Amino acid sequence: SDEASKPQCNSSLPGLAEVGGQISARPVAACPSGAVAICDSPMNAKARIYYYKRNAAQIAAIKQACEMQRGQWVKP
């Protein structure tokens, strides 16, 4: 259904360009395994955003941005 959260396998959250990310989210049926972090429902969007290949500093910045956008931070 369209109401379900749509996984987005991407390299950053919108607004994280200053952290060196890029916006390349695209809704998919499922994300590949190996995500280092997940941000669920940022900005009340029905989406889960999966992050890959991030170092600890990048993860910390993404976590902060996720929480600032009222998303739920999920460690896979």
Side-chain angles (χ1 to χ4, degrees), residues 28-68:
V28 293
C31 290
S33 60
V36 295
I38 301 166
C39 184
D40 197 14
S41 306
M43 307 291 278
N44 295 323
K46 293 187 186 303
R48 294 190 109 190
I49 302 178
Y50 291 67
Y51 298 92
Y52 299 88
K53 297 177 182 166
R54 293 293 193 273
N55 65 37
Q58 290 170 320
I59 290 169
I62 293 167
K63 179 178 190 284
Q64 183 177 24
C66 176
E67 291 171 345
M68 283 175 57

Side-chain angles (χ1 to χ4, degrees), residues 9-20:
C9 311
N10 76 336
S11 52
S12 82
L13 200 62
L16 279 187
E18 69 275 8
V19 188

Side-chain angles (χ1 to χ4, degrees), residues 1-25:
S1 96
D2 287 340
E3 291 302 305
S5 288
K6 291 181 174 62
Q8 293 183 346
C9 311
N10 76 336
S11 52
S12 82
L13 200 62
L16 279 187
E18 69 275 8
V19 188
Q22 64 217 102
I23 300 168
S24 59

